[in-house]
Amino acid sequence: MELMWRTSHVSGGNAHYVEALYEQYLVDPNAVPDEWRNYFDQLPRPEGSSSHDVPLSPIRDQFYQLGKSRRRAQTASAADSGENKKQVKVLQLINAYRFRGHQKADIDPLDLRSPVPVPDLDLSFHQLTNADLDTEFQTGSFFLGKDKAPLKEIVQALDETYCRSIGCEIMHIVDTEEKRWLQQRFESVRSKPKFSPEVRKHVLERLSAAEGLENYLASKYPGTKRFGLEGGETFVPMMDEIIQRAGGYGTKEVVIGMAHRGRLNLLVNILGKSPSELIEEFDGKKVIERGSGDVKYHQGFSSNVMTPGGEVHLALAFNPSHLEIVAPVVEGSVRARQDRRDDPAGDKVLPINVHGDAAFAGQGVVMETFQMSQTRAYKTGGTVHIVINNQVGFTTSHPDDTRSTEYCTDIAKMVQAPIFHVNGDDPDAVLHATQVAIDYRQQFKRDVVIDLVCYRRRGHNEADEPSGTQPMMYSKIKNHPSARALYAKRLVEEGVLSEDDAKAMGETYRDDLMAGNHVANALVKQPNTELFVDWGPYLGHEWTGDADTTFDMKRMQQLAAKMCEVPDGVQVQRQVAKIYEDRRKMQAGGMGLNWGFAETLAYATLLDQGHPVRITGQDSGRGTFSHRHAVVHNQKDGSTYVPLENIKEGQPRFTIHDSYLSEEAVLAFEYGYATTMPNALIVWEAQFGDFFNGAQVVVDQFISSGETKWGRLCGLTMLLPHGYEGQGPEHSSARLERFLQLCAEHNMQVCVPTTPAQIFHLLRRQVIRPLRKPLVVMSPKSLLRHKEATSTLEELAHGKFQMVLPDQGKLDAEKVKRVVLCAGKVYYDLAAYRTENERDDTAILRLEQLYPFPKEELFEALKDYTNLEQVVWCQEEPLNQGAWYQSQHHMRVVADMLDNGLGRELKFAGRPASAAPAAGYMSVHVEQQRQLVDDAFNA
Ligand code: AMP
């Protein structure tokens, strides 16, 4: 009831208005709008009561009291009733401004916004006239500083608050406390607080810096692409304010994501990148030791700045051209930092995501990122979103083309984020909106959006002529003074500083720039390195597939027992109990170890050795195929118990979450997390392997290439269920070929483990080795329960991940004429065929790692077969898919090392080339599978 009262639209700020309406309704139900009449009609009444009597809830109680007083009032004079009616109208007018004032606000510096009619803001709409302007009315919940005021004053205050340089959208917020808080922040100062001369001079100085850098680069490198900020310079004082204010709140780290526009300006003027370094990049002098590198407007950066609350570490995320995808990466990085600091509320680390207007409205990942903002697995205590809204996306600006929503920010309403549209030419207003935004985030730990409405003085980039496609916009821009010029003029007029002082600011900045001095005035020259992680131990390692992943048997037994323990009070569901029971038998040595056991034990051992483990993905608590059951659901009360959280006292964090149904944002988040938390095992699991299709951009632009482009190491593990089991074109293939096609320069590992011991050692290798490389695992489905796919505790304790599994049969090497190479579950079909057909002339080798290709290990496994005549690659996937096209050259090289020309003879056994990943009919699947196994032995 309390919640209903706090959040209901008939409560809080709206209560006076609703009460007044209700009064009207009691007198004449037809006098109120239909929806309100319907609403009031529905209010339940206790038995025996007559209409409108004795309601039940507090609001209804109020209505009851109102009703009684109304009945008394019915006897009062007609004049009184007329006054009351007007009072209702005034309250309606106040509400109308709160709802729709932004539509009339002066937020566009170019004044290009087509005016929309907002009749609700006219007096006449509310049956008020100029004759009422001098009459005093109650101000209701409007924060005017007094209970009563003449209508004239109320209207003026409303207009100043809601229709000037800030257009506030807050009425979609359901929570009354939040809404009242926001209303108070704007209404009490009429959206225009009085900033001190020092503050305003500082803003002008930062504006001069923003403009100064662009002017300098424009004159020195005309026509060179830099995606300048011109037109949106107020962004720089805005960022400065957010960081300083956040620092004042005790924030220790700020992670920023942004696309290319304005990035150089942010780098130099806020993060403190050295201007001389930037100039080197412009001059093309910068050389890199390794990797491809990336263009300057994609570069990330890290630095520390001083704030009123102490030193704050800033990290600007590296960013590909794919717009908006960096936003969830930033969230992941922030969450990793919050986890490291044990900061679940998000007090210590702040995410800022900077967007372009066109991309914010257009890209689906924006919605996915908002959707994650309050979920258990992904929340970061609220993000400050800034839209650099230059009202054009490359060459597209016609409102009928860019979006269907009214504003480019409307998507943010889905999480009830407050949205402040603010005129970029009014730095005071920008400062106010910024302060409210950061205060709101700190107070309510929710997302907030600042829509910085500005323009783009040049084309999409500096080599681009914009007037060809935007003639009207650019004829306006040509004659439009810069934000700095306008603000300087205003401050001079208001006597804040002299014209000479204003000019000097620009000159000082330019001198510093030319001297190569740092121009971010808060930069800390000797940064406190404790504010961020030391990646030193993980840097500079060459590729190796080896790692000591063995584990003490006795301790492993103890951990195995622990991971099977469920407290007495937890009533375990029947099938789950059976799985746990089986695991206990495995631990006791009475049963071969299965996949679920080995995988869970890998996590337990890593936790025991001090490595945090985080697993998220679709249904990963249970596992798509019910093999994991890492989260036990108490059948009595729905509570959960996670054995891996209870391995030992003081153990590292174990996190497992079912993700919401996203791939793109979620995988990007985990990439961000893994690139920030090097000592942990970070796993993303797809429900079926092909679900990663929805996140291809993350694989292409971050996972496979982030290290070579940006030197950012990443140890993320992707578990992608893969295997041909007759379930149709969808969900059979995790598109192995796509990953292999992206492989080069040892950028990532692609593995297809086929035994429990192999997944145990593979997962452990990922963390135990200091090397940090993404790991793509084609993980099993039916193999999870295959009776042949078992391992022993000894193999776990004493083994290692074998990149090539040699033949498991007891063959006489000299008799072997044929070797079948394969990867994945087809091995078990091949092995069954061999047993059934007694083919001791054929060895079967499993490539458990396809990239980096284990040439030496494969050679080792082949070299004893001295009478070999045929090497066959067998795969379940069609000819044009799987590993064949991407890996055959590696296999040929190894077969050639045998020095008998076998490499050139390498044969293929698999499904015929196919446009779809798999057949849709079980009968076709079965026949294809039989044929490819047969081909492997006989073709
Ligand atoms: P950050 O906290 O992201 O600003 O990172 C601080 C410093 O750690 C950076 O300047 C890098 O030198 C290093 N670093 C951060 N992330 C990585 C990574 N994924 N790979 C390698 N070095 C990193």
Side-chain angles (χ1 to χ4, degrees):
M1 185 54 75
E2 167 60 18
L3 185 68
M4 178 261 169
W5 173 241
R6 275 200 303 113
T7 56
S8 166
H9 64 292
V10 295
S11 70
N14 294 330
H16 292 290
Y17 168 58
V18 179
E19 285 160 9
L21 272 181
Y22 194 64
E23 275 194 74
Q24 270 190 305
Y25 164 82
L26 291 171
V27 178
D28 174 12
N30 292 320
V32 300
D34 287 353
E35 66 264 36
W36 281 107
R37 188 171 50 256
N38 292 340
Y39 174 73
F40 294 139
D41 281 341
Q42 282 164 19
L43 291 176
R45 286 146 207 137
E47 277 172 25
S49 72
S50 58
S51 67
H52 316 318
D53 259 9
V54 203
L56 298 170
S57 71
I59 182 71
R60 287 176 223 139
D61 200 37
Q62 275 198 17
F63 290 151
Y64 172 55
Q65 298 304 332
L66 279 165
K68 287 214 291 206
S69 68
R70 184 65 251 164
R71 278 192 289 280
R72 279 198 300 279
Q74 278 171 1
T75 55
S77 72
D80 190 18
S81 155
E83 225 166 71
N84 279 342
K85 270 191 181 158
K86 287 228 160 123
Q87 175 65 61
V88 172
K89 299 296 176 190
V90 170
L91 296 175
Q92 282 176 336
L93 179 69
I94 292 172
N95 232 33
Y97 266 93
R98 286 170 167 170
F99 268 106
R100 299 195 64 186
H102 57 87
Q103 291 181 296
K104 229 182 94 185
D106 174 24
I107 55 172
D108 177 5
L110 300 179
D111 211 11
L112 288 173
R113 191 160 77 129
S114 335
V116 284
V118 198
D120 326 26
L121 304 189
D122 294 339
L123 291 182
S124 58
F125 184 88
H126 302 279
Q127 289 105 48
L128 296 165
T129 68
N130 286 346
D132 298 312
L133 286 172
D134 291 324
T135 309
E136 280 211 329
F137 289 96
Q138 299 277 353
T139 52
S141 62
F142 186 47
F143 288 93
L144 191 62
K146 45 186 156 185
D147 291 342
K148 275 181 142 198
L151 180 59
K152 181 163 62 193
E153 194 182 326
I154 294 173
V155 171
Q156 188 183 345
L158 285 167
D159 201 63
E160 284 174 11
T161 305
Y162 289 109
C163 300
R164 299 286 162 91
S165 294
I166 303 178
C168 277
E169 286 194 276
I170 46 185
M171 296 304 278
H172 53 280
I173 296 171
V174 168
D175 187 279
T176 304
E177 187 195 342
E178 281 184 37
K179 199 159 47 187
R180 297 291 292 144
W181 186 95
L182 287 159
Q183 286 166 349
Q184 190 268 336
R185 288 299 300 270
F186 288 102
E187 292 173 359
S188 61
V189 292
R190 301 190 184 186
S191 296
K192 204 174 191 306
K194 290 201 177 8
F195 293 114
S196 71
E198 282 62 43
V199 167
R200 298 178 88 197
K201 277 192 240 175
H202 177 71
V203 170
L204 182 63
E205 189 280 325
R206 289 289 80 199
L207 260 182
S208 307
E211 185 177 295
L213 181 73
E214 299 298 348
N215 285 347
Y216 176 77
L217 294 174
S219 63
K220 198 155 187 250
Y221 305 99
T224 305
K225 271 195 207 176
R226 66 187 145 86
F227 297 97
L229 185 61
E230 294 108 313
E233 289 92 340
T234 323
F235 172 65
V236 167
M238 173 193 274
M239 286 300 287
D240 179 63
E241 179 64 19
I242 294 180
I243 292 162
Q244 290 299 318
R245 205 168 176 89
Y249 274 115
T251 299
K252 295 290 166 225
E253 292 181 82
V254 176
V255 187
I256 307 161
M258 81 181 286
H260 38 265
R261 170 118 14 247
R263 199 177 176 88
L264 300 184
N265 215 308
L266 184 84
L267 278 168
V268 171
N269 284 323
I270 298 290
L271 283 111
K273 177 168 176 157
S274 132
S276 34
E277 202 181 314
L278 181 71
I279 283 160
E280 251 182 38
E281 286 172 12
F282 268 92
D283 288 339
K285 288 189 191 143
K286 180 141 176 135
V287 282
I288 46 163
E289 284 153 29
R290 306 170 75 125
S292 66
D294 202 351
V295 292
K296 44 194 169 299
Y297 39 83
H298 291 165
Q299 299 290 344
F301 196 74
S302 307
S303 64
N304 288 11
V305 293
M306 193 45 80
T307 73
E311 214 169 312
V312 171
H313 178 68
L314 306 180
L316 174 66
F318 290 84
N319 188 66
S321 258
H322 194 102
L323 298 169
E324 293 299 330
I325 190 64
V326 80
V329 174
V330 164
E331 301 297 335
S333 178
V334 167
R335 178 65 181 254
R337 291 164 207 261
Q338 290 172 346
D339 284 353
R340 190 167 67 226
R341 290 173 176 278
D342 213 2
D343 172 30
D347 288 323
K348 300 271 182 281
V349 191
L350 171 73
I352 304 177
N353 271 315
V354 185
H355 315 264
D357 49 320
F360 201 55
Q363 305 261 305
V365 73
V366 176
M367 172 269 172
E368 291 191 21
T369 310
F370 275 116
Q371 194 62 275
M372 65 177 34
S373 63
Q374 294 295 321
T375 58
R376 276 194 291 181
Y378 308 103
K379 66 179 167 197
T380 51
T383 299
V384 176
H385 297 271
I386 299 165
V387 181
I388 301 184
N389 181 353
N390 54 32
Q391 313 187 59
V392 55
F394 206 153
T395 67
T396 306
S397 67
H398 194 287
D400 290 345
D401 295 335
T402 48
R403 56 181 186 261
S404 298
T405 51
E406 182 176 11
Y407 294 104
C408 63
T409 51
D410 283 358
I411 186 74
K413 289 182 189 163
M414 68 178 268
V415 291
Q416 298 178 36
I419 301 163
F420 314 139
H421 309 280
V422 56
N423 190 321
D425 272 1
D426 186 346
D428 290 338
V430 171
L431 194 62
H432 181 53
T434 304
Q435 293 183 346
V436 177
I438 188 73
D439 295 352
Y440 170 85
R441 188 271 175 188
Q442 291 305 108
Q443 172 90 9
F444 296 104
K445 297 292 187 296
R446 300 181 67 89
D447 285 23
V448 56
V449 179
I450 309 171
D451 177 20
L452 181 70
V453 187
C454 53
Y455 55 93
R456 191 186 72 190
R457 188 167 287 283
R458 299 172 191 269
H460 177 66
N461 60 55
E462 288 64 26
D464 199 55
E465 173 50 56
S467 53
T469 49
Q470 266 70 33
M472 305 319 287
M473 180 186 264
Y474 277 83
S475 76
K476 274 209 162 180
I477 290 175
K478 216 160 94 196
N479 300 314
H480 193 78
S482 72
R484 191 206 69 86
L486 290 170
Y487 194 53
K489 185 161 171 275
R490 191 195 301 178
L491 295 196
V492 170
E493 280 167 7
E494 292 178 19
V496 176
L497 83 178
S498 72
E499 215 168 322
D500 287 346
D501 290 344
K503 217 166 136 213
M505 273 183 191
E507 286 163 2
T508 312
Y509 180 84
R510 197 180 166 91
D511 292 346
D512 279 340
L513 207 58
M514 289 178 54
N517 296 338
H518 285 285
V519 285
N521 28 27
L523 183 74
V524 176
K525 305 271 167 49
Q526 301 289 323
N528 173 5
T529 53
E530 291 193 350
L531 288 175
F532 50 87
V533 161
D534 176 14
W535 276 79
Y538 308 94
L539 299 174
H541 299 286
E542 291 303 323
W543 158 259
T544 170
D546 286 332
D548 179 5
T549 51
T550 58
F551 199 83
D552 177 71
M553 177 63 100
K554 198 160 155 237
R555 180 67 188 144
M556 202 171 78
Q557 290 271 19
Q558 289 167 350
L559 294 172
K562 267 278 172 200
M563 75 185 203
C564 300
E565 249 175 48
V566 179
D568 284 345
V570 179
Q571 188 183 321
V572 184
Q573 191 266 347
R574 194 168 49 79
Q575 281 106 329
V576 181
K578 165 90 172 70
I579 286 172
Y580 271 67
E581 196 43 51
D582 284 350
R583 283 186 189 167
R584 281 182 208 109
K585 287 185 197 152
M586 293 172 203
Q587 183 262 335
M591 211 173 155
L593 314 183
N594 66 11
W595 201 279
F597 181 94
E599 185 198 321
T600 310
L601 196 51
Y603 302 137
T605 54
L606 288 172
L607 290 165
D608 193 53
Q609 286 174 289
H611 300 284
V613 175
R614 175 182 165 92
I615 307 168
T616 65
Q618 289 144 347
D619 315 296
S620 48
R622 185 196 79 170
T624 306
F625 312 102
S626 276
H627 81 290
R628 186 172 295 126
H629 286 290
V631 181
V632 179
H633 296 258
N634 189 340
Q635 300 299 295
K636 280 195 296 210
D637 59 9
S639 62
T640 54
Y641 178 77
V642 181
L644 286 169
E645 284 175 356
N646 297 284
I647 288 297
K648 67 174 184 189
E649 267 305 295
Q651 69 170 77
R653 184 185 296 270
F654 176 74
T655 309
I656 187 156
H657 284 295
D658 297 339
S659 74
Y660 69 113
L661 208 65
S662 143
E663 291 88 26
E664 185 177 350
V666 163
L667 185 58
F669 183 101
E670 299 306 333
Y671 171 82
Y673 198 103
T675 46
T676 310
M677 180 82 89
N679 66 332
L681 177 70
I682 319 292
V683 178
W684 177 71
E685 182 174 60
Q687 189 178 85
F688 289 93
D690 55 355
F691 279 31
F692 97 88
N693 278 330
Q696 183 75 54
V697 54
V698 184
V699 176
D700 286 1
Q701 267 125 321
F702 292 94
I703 293 173
S704 64
S705 57
E707 184 181 344
T708 186
K709 291 192 291 191
W710 313 316
R712 280 309 201 244
L713 305 176
C714 174
L716 179 66
T717 297
M718 293 168 72
L719 297 183
L720 307 177
H722 173 86
Y724 280 61
E725 292 169 355
Q727 298 303 306
E730 312 305 317
H731 310 339
S732 290
S733 172
R735 310 310 306 232
L736 173 62
E737 62 281 358
R738 299 229 189 107
F739 288 100
L740 292 174
Q741 186 258 330
L742 293 169
C743 287
E745 304 178 273
H746 293 162
N747 59 340
M748 53 187 182
Q749 311 154 84
V750 179
C751 295
V752 198
T754 57
T755 72
Q758 286 285 83
I759 190 69
F760 176 84
H761 290 293
L762 181 58
L763 291 171
R764 285 181 49 73
R765 182 181 84 165
Q766 186 67 353
V767 184
I768 298 294
R769 238 179 0 184
L771 187 80
R772 289 292 170 266
K773 294 271 176 197
L775 167 63
V776 180
V777 182
M778 298 286 118
S779 60
K781 293 182 284 184
S782 65
L783 213 53
L784 295 167
R785 290 187 182 74
H786 197 291
K787 58 183 186 326
E788 302 290 323
T790 58
S791 302
T792 62
L793 280 171
E794 283 69 29
E795 285 170 313
L796 268 52
H798 308 307
K800 65 174 210 165
F801 178 67
Q802 292 174 274
M803 292 178 271
V804 175
L805 277 177
D807 193 277
Q808 306 291 297
K810 295 187 174 52
L811 301 178
D812 177 351
E814 292 203 350
K815 280 201 200 145
V816 170
K817 297 271 188 304
R818 178 185 285 247
V819 163
V820 179
L821 304 177
C822 65
K825 93 170 197 333
V826 70
Y827 164 77
Y828 291 94
D829 293 351
L830 293 166
Y833 180 98
R834 181 171 67 181
T835 309
E836 214 171 284
N837 295 279
E838 298 176 356
R839 289 291 297 268
D840 55 6
D841 62 340
T842 303
I844 310 170
L845 308 185
R846 277 173 276 180
L847 285 169
E848 302 271 302
Q849 179 171 295
L850 285 164
Y851 192 84
F853 193 86
K855 286 198 183 95
E856 279 160 29
E857 289 77 5
L858 180 57
F859 178 73
E860 274 301 305
L862 277 175
K863 73 175 189 330
D864 291 339
Y865 303 123
T866 46
N867 296 320
L868 208 52
E869 291 170 5
Q870 190 73 263
V871 180
V872 181
W873 167 255
C874 177
Q875 66 177 34
E876 295 183 301
E877 299 86 352
L879 176 76
N880 57 322
Q881 299 169 34
W884 176 239
Y885 283 143
Q886 301 303 331
S887 302
Q888 56 172 285
H889 59 293
H890 295 303
M891 299 176 209
R892 284 185 205 285
V893 167
V894 179
D896 270 347
M897 284 157 69
L898 297 171
D899 213 17
N900 58 6
L902 283 170
R904 284 183 296 281
E905 293 297 316
L906 187 69
K907 290 278 189 289
F908 173 81
R911 289 183 161 79
S914 161
Y921 304 99
M922 185 56 107
S923 55
V924 179
H925 161 80
V926 170
E927 173 49 23
Q928 285 178 340
Q929 192 81 5
R930 187 202 61 72
Q931 184 68 52
L932 69 91
V933 171
D934 195 271
D935 287 350
F937 284 89
N938 305 310

